[in-house]
Amino acid sequence: MTIRAVVKGVGHFLPERVVKNSEFEASLNTSDEWIQARSGIKQRHFVCEGEKTSDMAIIAAQAALADAGLEANDLDAVIVATSTGDLIFPSTATIVQAGINMTKGFAYDLQAVCAGFVFALSTANAQILSGQAKCVMVIGAESFSHLLDWEDRSTCVLFGDGAGAVLLQAEQGEGTSNDRGILSVDLNSDGRHKEILYVDGGVSTGKTGYLRMQGKEVFRHAVEKLAQTAEVAMEKAGVSAEDIDWVVPHQANIRIINSTTKKIGVAPEKVVKTVEEHGNTSAASIPLALSVAKAKGQIKENDLIITEAIGGGLVWGGVVLRW
Ligand code: ACO
């Protein structure tokens, strides 16, 4: 017998403001055709004036609680994976804790950029396995629109805003890959690649700054490292590509998703894709995709799922779980 961190509920939120590719044509030398061909993106959601990362995270968390049939005070912990928290401090997680009326337990942010949700799943899993927590809300929430340089056509068309939440609860398992819950985790980072994806602002600069990216380099690392982490995570879980029901990848670029899935040998129809509608929402992209896929009836109980993500740092990782 072993303890497993099992998904009990999911939820998501997307801001009302939808921006189609054609809107960029007025101010930039770009086209709907170029954006779709190079990234797969058709539209993205951007926060409205005054709408904050915590506002989206609160709604996503409330939806996940409702989906699980639980109350805020059933939670022991809230983790918010984000690079676009409301303030330097307090953490966005504590703002969310207050926002959902959770008056006990603990809450903290985790920053691993686009891989933040995978890292947060890993942390929540470790806290559940150690007995430190029994019920953990893991949220990915981002308003990347605040970090975009609207004059840089190679980055500003790729990102979007949103939030997704997954509620994990401790449950007894048999200790086999037939158990529901998180079956394996693989985390990696290599700080030598800072220059290919970063924000040129922060406390040391006195400004928030803008996202800067060497797209081709990021692309090359992404396909190689995502396939590698997916293979390691599957091996650790004792499952193979044929066993996988759904790949739920970080939604950065349809070409990265297709190349990675081909490399790991999972059939294309088993891949959840939301990048067309959401753009790259960084740490929010995987929980958003999980929530949308469940709502569409794609993901069902007992399905075997692999998620993988990569972000600035570089940081990357994968998780295998049975829904
Ligand atoms: N519209 C029109 N032309 C553009 C645009 C645009 N929005 N953006 C760039 N171009 C131009 C470039 O200036 C370049 O022109 P040039 O040849 O005259 O210099 C040309 O298009 C080709 O540019 P490339 O960078 O070679 O295009 P590429 O096929 O590599 O696609 C892209 C660019 C989409 C950024 C791609 O490299 C990519 O997706 N990289 C991965 C980056 C990513 O997903 N980052 C997300 C953050 S990290 C993560 O989440 C994994």
Side-chain angles (χ1 to χ4, degrees), residues 288-320:
L288 257 168
L290 287 169
S291 181
V292 167
K294 191 197 165 195
K296 277 187 184 167
Q298 290 178 304
I299 294 179
K300 291 186 272 315
E301 197 167 306
N302 279 315
D303 279 355
L304 188 65
I305 294 173
I306 182 156
T307 67
E308 18 89 349
I310 185 165
L314 293 171
V315 291
W316 68 101
V319 169
V320 173

PDB file of all heavy atoms in Angstrom, residues 288-320:
ATOM      1  N   LEU A 288      -5.092  24.626 -17.493  1.00  0.00           N
ATOM      2  CA  LEU A 288      -6.164  25.077 -18.396  1.00  0.00           C
ATOM      3  C   LEU A 288      -6.530  23.962 -19.370  1.00  0.00           C
ATOM      4  O   LEU A 288      -7.713  23.657 -19.568  1.00  0.00           O
ATOM      5  CB  LEU A 288      -5.655  26.275 -19.214  1.00  0.00           C
ATOM      6  CG  LEU A 288      -6.124  27.656 -18.823  1.00  0.00           C
ATOM      7  CD1 LEU A 288      -5.289  28.724 -19.537  1.00  0.00           C
ATOM      8  CD2 LEU A 288      -7.589  27.833 -19.158  1.00  0.00           C
ATOM      9  N   ALA A 289      -5.506  23.337 -19.953  1.00  0.00           N
ATOM     10  CA  ALA A 289      -5.756  22.274 -20.937  1.00  0.00           C
ATOM     11  C   ALA A 289      -6.428  21.073 -20.271  1.00  0.00           C
ATOM     12  O   ALA A 289      -7.339  20.464 -20.849  1.00  0.00           O
ATOM     13  CB  ALA A 289      -4.448  21.859 -21.611  1.00  0.00           C
ATOM     14  N   LEU A 290      -6.006  20.730 -19.051  1.00  0.00           N
ATOM     15  CA  LEU A 290      -6.627  19.611 -18.333  1.00  0.00           C
ATOM     16  C   LEU A 290      -8.105  19.895 -18.076  1.00  0.00           C
ATOM     17  O   LEU A 290      -8.965  19.033 -18.279  1.00  0.00           O
ATOM     18  CB  LEU A 290      -5.919  19.383 -16.984  1.00  0.00           C
ATOM     19  CG  LEU A 290      -4.523  18.748 -17.027  1.00  0.00           C
ATOM     20  CD1 LEU A 290      -3.848  18.849 -15.655  1.00  0.00           C
ATOM     21  CD2 LEU A 290      -4.590  17.282 -17.464  1.00  0.00           C
ATOM     22  N   SER A 291      -8.383  21.120 -17.638  1.00  0.00           N
ATOM     23  CA  SER A 291      -9.762  21.481 -17.300  1.00  0.00           C
ATOM     24  C   SER A 291     -10.651  21.503 -18.540  1.00  0.00           C
ATOM     25  O   SER A 291     -11.772  20.977 -18.531  1.00  0.00           O
ATOM     26  CB  SER A 291      -9.762  22.846 -16.595  1.00  0.00           C
ATOM     27  OG  SER A 291     -11.055  23.217 -16.243  1.00  0.00           O
ATOM     28  N   VAL A 292     -10.128  22.084 -19.623  1.00  0.00           N
ATOM     29  CA  VAL A 292     -10.902  22.147 -20.875  1.00  0.00           C
ATOM     30  C   VAL A 292     -11.133  20.724 -21.411  1.00  0.00           C
ATOM     31  O   VAL A 292     -12.239  20.376 -21.831  1.00  0.00           O
ATOM     32  CB  VAL A 292     -10.160  23.021 -21.918  1.00  0.00           C
ATOM     33  CG1 VAL A 292     -10.756  22.859 -23.312  1.00  0.00           C
ATOM     34  CG2 VAL A 292     -10.194  24.490 -21.500  1.00  0.00           C
ATOM     35  N   ALA A 293     -10.095  19.882 -21.343  1.00  0.00           N
ATOM     36  CA  ALA A 293     -10.215  18.513 -21.870  1.00  0.00           C
ATOM     37  C   ALA A 293     -11.208  17.703 -21.047  1.00  0.00           C
ATOM     38  O   ALA A 293     -11.960  16.889 -21.593  1.00  0.00           O
ATOM     39  CB  ALA A 293      -8.848  17.836 -21.867  1.00  0.00           C
ATOM     40  N   LYS A 294     -11.236  17.937 -19.739  1.00  0.00           N
ATOM     41  CA  LYS A 294     -12.215  17.211 -18.922  1.00  0.00           C
ATOM     42  C   LYS A 294     -13.635  17.694 -19.255  1.00  0.00           C
ATOM     43  O   LYS A 294     -14.551  16.890 -19.418  1.00  0.00           O
ATOM     44  CB  LYS A 294     -11.932  17.407 -17.426  1.00  0.00           C
ATOM     45  CG  LYS A 294     -12.778  16.448 -16.613  1.00  0.00           C
ATOM     46  CD  LYS A 294     -12.905  16.796 -15.166  1.00  0.00           C
ATOM     47  CE  LYS A 294     -14.050  15.983 -14.558  1.00  0.00           C
ATOM     48  NZ  LYS A 294     -14.474  16.498 -13.274  1.00  0.00           N
ATOM     49  N   ALA A 295     -13.784  19.002 -19.391  1.00  0.00           N
ATOM     50  CA  ALA A 295     -15.105  19.566 -19.706  1.00  0.00           C
ATOM     51  C   ALA A 295     -15.625  19.062 -21.056  1.00  0.00           C
ATOM     52  O   ALA A 295     -16.822  18.852 -21.231  1.00  0.00           O
ATOM     53  CB  ALA A 295     -15.035  21.092 -19.690  1.00  0.00           C
ATOM     54  N   LYS A 296     -14.707  18.849 -21.999  1.00  0.00           N
ATOM     55  CA  LYS A 296     -15.105  18.345 -23.329  1.00  0.00           C
ATOM     56  C   LYS A 296     -15.389  16.846 -23.328  1.00  0.00           C
ATOM     57  O   LYS A 296     -15.771  16.286 -24.348  1.00  0.00           O
ATOM     58  CB  LYS A 296     -13.952  18.574 -24.318  1.00  0.00           C
ATOM     59  CG  LYS A 296     -13.870  19.957 -24.916  1.00  0.00           C
ATOM     60  CD  LYS A 296     -12.784  19.899 -25.982  1.00  0.00           C
ATOM     61  CE  LYS A 296     -12.515  21.233 -26.616  1.00  0.00           C
ATOM     62  NZ  LYS A 296     -11.269  21.189 -27.405  1.00  0.00           N
ATOM     63  N   GLY A 297     -15.108  16.177 -22.216  1.00  0.00           N
ATOM     64  CA  GLY A 297     -15.319  14.725 -22.131  1.00  0.00           C
ATOM     65  C   GLY A 297     -14.169  13.926 -22.709  1.00  0.00           C
ATOM     66  O   GLY A 297     -14.287  12.719 -22.913  1.00  0.00           O
ATOM     67  N   GLN A 298     -13.024  14.600 -22.963  1.00  0.00           N
ATOM     68  CA  GLN A 298     -11.868  13.858 -23.487  1.00  0.00           C
ATOM     69  C   GLN A 298     -11.229  13.038 -22.370  1.00  0.00           C
ATOM     70  O   GLN A 298     -11.093  11.822 -22.489  1.00  0.00           O
ATOM     71  CB  GLN A 298     -10.837  14.841 -24.072  1.00  0.00           C
ATOM     72  CG  GLN A 298     -11.285  15.522 -25.353  1.00  0.00           C
ATOM     73  CD  GLN A 298     -10.228  16.509 -25.842  1.00  0.00           C
ATOM     74  OE1 GLN A 298      -9.811  17.418 -25.121  1.00  0.00           O
ATOM     75  NE2 GLN A 298      -9.798  16.351 -27.075  1.00  0.00           N
ATOM     76  N   ILE A 299     -10.861  13.695 -21.268  1.00  0.00           N
ATOM     77  CA  ILE A 299     -10.197  13.007 -20.155  1.00  0.00           C
ATOM     78  C   ILE A 299     -11.250  12.407 -19.227  1.00  0.00           C
ATOM     79  O   ILE A 299     -12.160  13.114 -18.784  1.00  0.00           O
ATOM     80  CB  ILE A 299      -9.320  13.998 -19.371  1.00  0.00           C
ATOM     81  CG1 ILE A 299      -8.167  14.481 -20.242  1.00  0.00           C
ATOM     82  CG2 ILE A 299      -8.791  13.358 -18.104  1.00  0.00           C
ATOM     83  CD1 ILE A 299      -7.274  15.484 -19.546  1.00  0.00           C
ATOM     84  N   LYS A 300     -11.084  11.107 -18.924  1.00  0.00           N
ATOM     85  CA  LYS A 300     -12.030  10.432 -18.029  1.00  0.00           C
ATOM     86  C   LYS A 300     -11.273   9.700 -16.910  1.00  0.00           C
ATOM     87  O   LYS A 300     -10.067   9.458 -17.036  1.00  0.00           O
ATOM     88  CB  LYS A 300     -12.867   9.432 -18.834  1.00  0.00           C
ATOM     89  CG  LYS A 300     -13.837  10.132 -19.787  1.00  0.00           C
ATOM     90  CD  LYS A 300     -14.769   9.187 -20.475  1.00  0.00           C
ATOM     91  CE  LYS A 300     -14.298   8.586 -21.758  1.00  0.00           C
ATOM     92  NZ  LYS A 300     -13.676   9.396 -22.759  1.00  0.00           N
ATOM     93  N   GLU A 301     -12.027   9.362 -15.853  1.00  0.00           N
ATOM     94  CA  GLU A 301     -11.401   8.686 -14.710  1.00  0.00           C
ATOM     95  C   GLU A 301     -10.624   7.451 -15.171  1.00  0.00           C
ATOM     96  O   GLU A 301     -11.099   6.716 -16.047  1.00  0.00           O
ATOM     97  CB  GLU A 301     -12.479   8.292 -13.691  1.00  0.00           C
ATOM     98  CG  GLU A 301     -11.891   7.976 -12.335  1.00  0.00           C
ATOM     99  CD  GLU A 301     -12.958   7.891 -11.244  1.00  0.00           C
ATOM    100  OE1 GLU A 301     -13.740   8.860 -11.098  1.00  0.00           O
ATOM    101  OE2 GLU A 301     -13.005   6.867 -10.544  1.00  0.00           O
ATOM    102  N   ASN A 302      -9.468   7.284 -14.573  1.00  0.00           N
ATOM    103  CA  ASN A 302      -8.557   6.156 -14.854  1.00  0.00           C
ATOM    104  C   ASN A 302      -7.722   6.310 -16.123  1.00  0.00           C
ATOM    105  O   ASN A 302      -6.907   5.436 -16.428  1.00  0.00           O
ATOM    106  CB  ASN A 302      -9.287   4.810 -14.890  1.00  0.00           C
ATOM    107  CG  ASN A 302      -9.496   4.284 -13.490  1.00  0.00           C
ATOM    108  OD1 ASN A 302      -8.571   4.327 -12.674  1.00  0.00           O
ATOM    109  ND2 ASN A 302     -10.702   3.843 -13.197  1.00  0.00           N
ATOM    110  N   ASP A 303      -7.903   7.389 -16.863  1.00  0.00           N
ATOM    111  CA  ASP A 303      -7.041   7.623 -18.038  1.00  0.00           C
ATOM    112  C   ASP A 303      -5.603   7.873 -17.567  1.00  0.00           C
ATOM    113  O   ASP A 303      -5.376   8.545 -16.552  1.00  0.00           O
ATOM    114  CB  ASP A 303      -7.514   8.852 -18.835  1.00  0.00           C
ATOM    115  CG  ASP A 303      -8.688   8.524 -19.748  1.00  0.00           C
ATOM    116  OD1 ASP A 303      -9.069   7.340 -19.843  1.00  0.00           O
ATOM    117  OD2 ASP A 303      -9.220   9.458 -20.376  1.00  0.00           O
ATOM    118  N   LEU A 304      -4.654   7.353 -18.348  1.00  0.00           N
ATOM    119  CA  LEU A 304      -3.235   7.567 -18.045  1.00  0.00           C
ATOM    120  C   LEU A 304      -2.753   8.794 -18.831  1.00  0.00           C
ATOM    121  O   LEU A 304      -2.891   8.853 -20.057  1.00  0.00           O
ATOM    122  CB  LEU A 304      -2.420   6.330 -18.434  1.00  0.00           C
ATOM    123  CG  LEU A 304      -0.956   6.350 -18.002  1.00  0.00           C
ATOM    124  CD1 LEU A 304      -0.821   6.348 -16.478  1.00  0.00           C
ATOM    125  CD2 LEU A 304      -0.205   5.153 -18.588  1.00  0.00           C
ATOM    126  N   ILE A 305      -2.207   9.759 -18.087  1.00  0.00           N
ATOM    127  CA  ILE A 305      -1.885  11.070 -18.676  1.00  0.00           C
ATOM    128  C   ILE A 305      -0.415  11.399 -18.453  1.00  0.00           C
ATOM    129  O   ILE A 305       0.129  11.131 -17.380  1.00  0.00           O
ATOM    130  CB  ILE A 305      -2.771  12.159 -18.017  1.00  0.00           C
ATOM    131  CG1 ILE A 305      -4.238  11.906 -18.399  1.00  0.00           C
ATOM    132  CG2 ILE A 305      -2.346  13.567 -18.429  1.00  0.00           C
ATOM    133  CD1 ILE A 305      -5.208  12.788 -17.683  1.00  0.00           C
ATOM    134  N   ILE A 306       0.198  11.984 -19.470  1.00  0.00           N
ATOM    135  CA  ILE A 306       1.533  12.559 -19.258  1.00  0.00           C
ATOM    136  C   ILE A 306       1.484  14.048 -19.565  1.00  0.00           C
ATOM    137  O   ILE A 306       0.867  14.472 -20.558  1.00  0.00           O
ATOM    138  CB  ILE A 306       2.630  11.837 -20.074  1.00  0.00           C
ATOM    139  CG1 ILE A 306       3.995  12.446 -19.761  1.00  0.00           C
ATOM    140  CG2 ILE A 306       2.357  11.839 -21.578  1.00  0.00           C
ATOM    141  CD1 ILE A 306       5.149  11.535 -20.015  1.00  0.00           C
ATOM    142  N   THR A 307       2.079  14.850 -18.676  1.00  0.00           N
ATOM    143  CA  THR A 307       2.215  16.287 -18.930  1.00  0.00           C
ATOM    144  C   THR A 307       3.703  16.597 -18.993  1.00  0.00           C
ATOM    145  O   THR A 307       4.501  15.956 -18.291  1.00  0.00           O
ATOM    146  CB  THR A 307       1.609  17.138 -17.799  1.00  0.00           C
ATOM    147  OG1 THR A 307       2.399  16.952 -16.632  1.00  0.00           O
ATOM    148  CG2 THR A 307       0.190  16.768 -17.490  1.00  0.00           C
ATOM    149  N   GLU A 308       4.073  17.537 -19.842  1.00  0.00           N
ATOM    150  CA  GLU A 308       5.481  17.971 -19.877  1.00  0.00           C
ATOM    151  C   GLU A 308       5.537  19.451 -20.229  1.00  0.00           C
ATOM    152  O   GLU A 308       4.665  19.949 -20.946  1.00  0.00           O
ATOM    153  CB  GLU A 308       6.337  17.141 -20.845  1.00  0.00           C
ATOM    154  CG  GLU A 308       5.614  16.331 -21.901  1.00  0.00           C
ATOM    155  CD  GLU A 308       5.370  17.078 -23.189  1.00  0.00           C
ATOM    156  OE1 GLU A 308       5.571  18.297 -23.219  1.00  0.00           O
ATOM    157  OE2 GLU A 308       4.953  16.433 -24.169  1.00  0.00           O
ATOM    158  N   ALA A 309       6.552  20.130 -19.664  1.00  0.00           N
ATOM    159  CA  ALA A 309       6.656  21.571 -19.895  1.00  0.00           C
ATOM    160  C   ALA A 309       8.106  22.024 -19.802  1.00  0.00           C
ATOM    161  O   ALA A 309       8.922  21.411 -19.124  1.00  0.00           O
ATOM    162  CB  ALA A 309       5.825  22.329 -18.861  1.00  0.00           C
ATOM    163  N   ILE A 310       8.404  23.141 -20.498  1.00  0.00           N
ATOM    164  CA  ILE A 310       9.734  23.758 -20.430  1.00  0.00           C
ATOM    165  C   ILE A 310       9.569  25.270 -20.362  1.00  0.00           C
ATOM    166  O   ILE A 310       8.614  25.814 -20.925  1.00  0.00           O
ATOM    167  CB  ILE A 310      10.610  23.337 -21.638  1.00  0.00           C
ATOM    168  CG1 ILE A 310      12.040  23.875 -21.503  1.00  0.00           C
ATOM    169  CG2 ILE A 310       9.984  23.753 -22.967  1.00  0.00           C
ATOM    170  CD1 ILE A 310      13.039  23.214 -22.451  1.00  0.00           C
ATOM    171  N   GLY A 311      10.467  25.922 -19.658  1.00  0.00           N
ATOM    172  CA  GLY A 311      10.384  27.375 -19.547  1.00  0.00           C
ATOM    173  C   GLY A 311      11.753  27.998 -19.339  1.00  0.00           C
ATOM    174  O   GLY A 311      12.774  27.302 -19.277  1.00  0.00           O
ATOM    175  N   GLY A 312      11.749  29.310 -19.209  1.00  0.00           N
ATOM    176  CA  GLY A 312      12.983  30.083 -19.067  1.00  0.00           C
ATOM    177  C   GLY A 312      13.841  29.558 -17.929  1.00  0.00           C
ATOM    178  O   GLY A 312      13.357  29.168 -16.881  1.00  0.00           O
ATOM    179  N   GLY A 313      15.151  29.572 -18.152  1.00  0.00           N
ATOM    180  CA  GLY A 313      16.080  29.073 -17.111  1.00  0.00           C
ATOM    181  C   GLY A 313      17.317  28.427 -17.696  1.00  0.00           C
ATOM    182  O   GLY A 313      18.387  28.916 -17.491  1.00  0.00           O
ATOM    183  N   LEU A 314      17.143  27.347 -18.413  1.00  0.00           N
ATOM    184  CA  LEU A 314      15.913  26.623 -18.711  1.00  0.00           C
ATOM    185  C   LEU A 314      15.498  25.708 -17.549  1.00  0.00           C
ATOM    186  O   LEU A 314      16.347  25.225 -16.805  1.00  0.00           O
ATOM    187  CB  LEU A 314      16.102  25.752 -19.969  1.00  0.00           C
ATOM    188  CG  LEU A 314      16.301  26.524 -21.277  1.00  0.00           C
ATOM    189  CD1 LEU A 314      16.699  25.562 -22.397  1.00  0.00           C
ATOM    190  CD2 LEU A 314      15.044  27.292 -21.703  1.00  0.00           C
ATOM    191  N   VAL A 315      14.188  25.474 -17.424  1.00  0.00           N
ATOM    192  CA  VAL A 315      13.653  24.487 -16.489  1.00  0.00           C
ATOM    193  C   VAL A 315      12.689  23.615 -17.272  1.00  0.00           C
ATOM    194  O   VAL A 315      11.963  24.116 -18.132  1.00  0.00           O
ATOM    195  CB  VAL A 315      12.925  25.156 -15.303  1.00  0.00           C
ATOM    196  CG1 VAL A 315      13.886  25.875 -14.393  1.00  0.00           C
ATOM    197  CG2 VAL A 315      11.838  26.113 -15.779  1.00  0.00           C
ATOM    198  N   TRP A 316      12.672  22.337 -16.988  1.00  0.00           N
ATOM    199  CA  TRP A 316      11.744  21.459 -17.699  1.00  0.00           C
ATOM    200  C   TRP A 316      11.445  20.210 -16.873  1.00  0.00           C
ATOM    201  O   TRP A 316      12.231  19.836 -15.990  1.00  0.00           O
ATOM    202  CB  TRP A 316      12.276  21.105 -19.079  1.00  0.00           C
ATOM    203  CG  TRP A 316      13.506  20.234 -19.145  1.00  0.00           C
ATOM    204  CD1 TRP A 316      13.552  18.895 -19.398  1.00  0.00           C
ATOM    205  CD2 TRP A 316      14.877  20.657 -18.984  1.00  0.00           C
ATOM    206  NE1 TRP A 316      14.845  18.453 -19.400  1.00  0.00           N
ATOM    207  CE2 TRP A 316      15.693  19.503 -19.142  1.00  0.00           C
ATOM    208  CE3 TRP A 316      15.496  21.871 -18.713  1.00  0.00           C
ATOM    209  CZ2 TRP A 316      17.083  19.536 -19.046  1.00  0.00           C
ATOM    210  CZ3 TRP A 316      16.888  21.912 -18.597  1.00  0.00           C
ATOM    211  CH2 TRP A 316      17.663  20.765 -18.770  1.00  0.00           C
ATOM    212  N   GLY A 317      10.300  19.601 -17.150  1.00  0.00           N
ATOM    213  CA  GLY A 317       9.942  18.412 -16.387  1.00  0.00           C
ATOM    214  C   GLY A 317       8.689  17.762 -16.916  1.00  0.00           C
ATOM    215  O   GLY A 317       7.982  18.312 -17.771  1.00  0.00           O
ATOM    216  N   GLY A 318       8.427  16.560 -16.394  1.00  0.00           N
ATOM    217  CA  GLY A 318       7.249  15.794 -16.806  1.00  0.00           C
ATOM    218  C   GLY A 318       6.635  15.071 -15.618  1.00  0.00           C
ATOM    219  O   GLY A 318       7.331  14.767 -14.642  1.00  0.00           O
ATOM    220  N   VAL A 319       5.342  14.827 -15.705  1.00  0.00           N
ATOM    221  CA  VAL A 319       4.609  14.099 -14.659  1.00  0.00           C
ATOM    222  C   VAL A 319       3.714  13.070 -15.347  1.00  0.00           C
ATOM    223  O   VAL A 319       3.030  13.403 -16.322  1.00  0.00           O
ATOM    224  CB  VAL A 319       3.736  15.070 -13.818  1.00  0.00           C
ATOM    225  CG1 VAL A 319       2.772  14.305 -12.918  1.00  0.00           C
ATOM    226  CG2 VAL A 319       4.612  15.998 -12.984  1.00  0.00           C
ATOM    227  N   VAL A 320       3.727  11.845 -14.836  1.00  0.00           N
ATOM    228  CA  VAL A 320       2.768  10.834 -15.289  1.00  0.00           C
ATOM    229  C   VAL A 320       1.743  10.659 -14.177  1.00  0.00           C
ATOM    230  O   VAL A 320       2.114  10.524 -13.003  1.00  0.00           O
ATOM    231  CB  VAL A 320       3.458   9.487 -15.597  1.00  0.00           C
ATOM    232  CG1 VAL A 320       2.424   8.402 -15.892  1.00  0.00           C
ATOM    233  CG2 VAL A 320       4.418   9.640 -16.778  1.00  0.00           C
TER     234      VAL A 320
END
